[in-house]
Amino acid sequence: MLVAKKIVLLGTGGTIAGTSAVAGANTGYIAAQISVEDLVKAVPALAEAAPGGLVCEQIAQIDSKDMAHSIWLKLARHCEKHLADPDVQGVVITHGTDTLEETAWFLQQVLNPAKPVVLCSAMRPATALVPDGPQNLLDSVIVAGEPTASGVLCVAAGEIHGAREVSKQHPLRLNAFSSGDIGPLGWVEGARVRWTRDVPPEPPVASSSARLVEALPEPDLWPQVEIVMSHAGVSGAFVRVLTAQGVDGIVVAATGNGTVHEALEKALEAAEQEGVLVRVASRCAEGQLLGEPDARWASANGLSPVKARISLMLDLIDDDLASGEEGEVGVD
């Protein structure tokens, strides 16, 4: 007989743990007020969804707008430890919605997990008249316990999204997350998971990326990578300031299919001559930038600007580790 495995629940705060002094209010609340253990106590159905038991750990207690690299590294280390435990089926992370897509992509890049790591969130605080957090938490635990699930996932409003495509597209509605024209990977219906076309997503390709967690330097040594936007009337001044400050990389949120204003282009060319690595993503919410073979700078391979920033930062860390200069990562 198969023995049910544990689900690990890591708390970081967010709206799902938020409260308001105004009874029933959906806005004007304070995020990250309730512990992850108390969130679990408020959803009795979790006992049935996780027959092997839930293990709760409070990693941080913040509004996700204030997410920091140090918390990312702490999360990655905790996830790696639990995912290596044969008695653990999956991991759920309670998280604010504002930077959830960035945390998801970071964890996917450094963990590449064969087991599911599910980011759970809410658009309404726990004290709302009809909070969405309890159902999202239950759905997330169901997905974390699904044998066919793998990789870093986002579960909200009954939808399952992948780390690469997911983004927050609305500031208020309950189904705020979207995977654009790709669509969700699946749905949680009752107590079961239904994958798109009833076919589970391909598991992550085996790689050595999981070893990156141990090799990552402390966050104050990570490269500085910033995002600039190409827009009508842009001057390039921000690029010049960043270059003077010793930034390591710049991601351009370009218009359309990677087009960059001529003034910004000149500033980026000057930055590149100073050793700044440039990568181009698109401002467009849907579709993917189709990089041209003769493009001035490398494209972000379809990633959004915020995710392209993470990938560029990790690429720079990898380069320094490979050259044996990990002690100098991100140092001017």
Side-chain angles (χ1 to χ4, degrees):
M1 184 178 68
L2 292 176
V3 178
K5 297 184 178 182
K6 299 178 291 186
I7 303 294
V8 175
L9 191 53
L10 306 178
T12 69
T15 295
I16 192 171
T19 61
S20 173
V22 181
N26 291 339
T27 59
Y29 55 86
I30 301 175
Q33 300 300 298
I34 301 174
S35 71
V36 67
E37 289 187 347
D38 285 340
L39 290 177
V40 168
K41 291 176 183 177
V43 189
L46 286 172
E48 184 177 348
L54 281 170
V55 177
C56 297
E57 294 181 15
Q58 195 75 48
I59 302 300
Q61 191 69 301
I62 64 163
D63 186 322
S64 80
K65 69 179 177 62
D66 299 318
M67 181 54 66
H69 293 166
S70 58
I71 299 175
W72 277 357
L73 185 56
K74 188 176 181 181
L75 268 176
R77 288 171 173 169
H78 278 258
C79 285
E80 186 178 53
K81 176 187 71 175
H82 290 299
L83 292 169
D85 185 346
D87 293 327
V88 170
Q89 177 65 36
V91 175
V92 174
I93 301 170
T94 58
H95 197 290
T97 59
D98 286 347
T99 56
L100 182 145
E101 63 204 75
E102 296 171 65
T103 298
W105 185 239
F106 173 79
L107 293 176
Q108 179 62 50
Q109 289 287 281
V110 301
L111 295 171
N112 193 35
K115 296 178 181 179
V117 174
V118 182
L119 273 73
C120 171
S121 60
M123 291 298 293
R124 294 175 179 172
T127 51
L129 183 62
V130 184
D132 55 325
Q135 185 65 58
N136 287 346
L137 182 57
L138 178 59
D139 289 349
S140 295
V141 169
I142 289 170
V143 173
E146 169 58 41
T148 60
S150 60
V152 180
L153 306 168
C154 164
V155 173
E159 297 180 336
I160 307 169
H161 298 275
R164 182 182 177 89
E165 294 81 19
V166 69
S167 65
K168 184 176 180 179
Q169 291 292 311
H170 199 281
L172 296 172
R173 70 187 183 201
L174 298 186
N175 60 333
F177 288 100
S178 170
S179 290
D181 48 14
I182 299 295
L185 297 175
W187 302 268
V188 183
E189 298 173 340
R192 65 180 290 271
V193 171
R194 178 168 67 89
W195 299 112
T196 305
R197 295 180 295 279
D198 290 323
V199 178
E202 290 290 328
V205 176
S207 73
S208 61
S209 64
R211 291 199 296 270
L212 182 61
V213 177
E214 294 181 3
L216 282 172
E218 291 304 307
D220 60 345
L221 295 178
W222 289 10
Q224 182 186 359
V225 179
E226 301 289 346
I227 300 170
V228 299
M229 180 179 288
S230 184
H231 56 84
V234 66
S235 68
F238 187 31
V239 172
R240 290 188 286 274
V241 170
L242 290 174
T243 303
Q245 291 181 348
V247 69
D248 299 287
I250 292 176
V251 171
V252 185
T255 45
N257 189 41
T259 54
V260 179
H261 191 287
E262 59 181 0
L264 182 58
E265 190 172 86
K266 290 178 181 178
L268 290 168
E269 288 173 348
E272 191 175 45
Q273 291 176 2
E274 296 295 323
V276 179
L277 193 59
V278 177
R279 196 163 291 176
V280 178
S282 177
R283 288 175 13 179
C284 298
E286 295 193 0
Q288 291 192 6
L289 190 157
L290 184 62
E292 300 294 340
D294 58 347
R296 180 69 178 80
W297 296 289
S299 78
N301 295 321
L303 293 173
S304 67
V306 293
K307 293 179 184 178
R309 173 190 166 272
I310 294 166
S311 289
L312 178 53
M313 182 175 64
L314 291 173
D315 286 348
L316 288 166
I317 291 174
D318 284 347
D319 289 346
D320 282 335
L321 291 176
S323 63
E325 298 174 358
E326 59 266 30
E328 298 178 9
V329 174
V331 178
D332 297 339

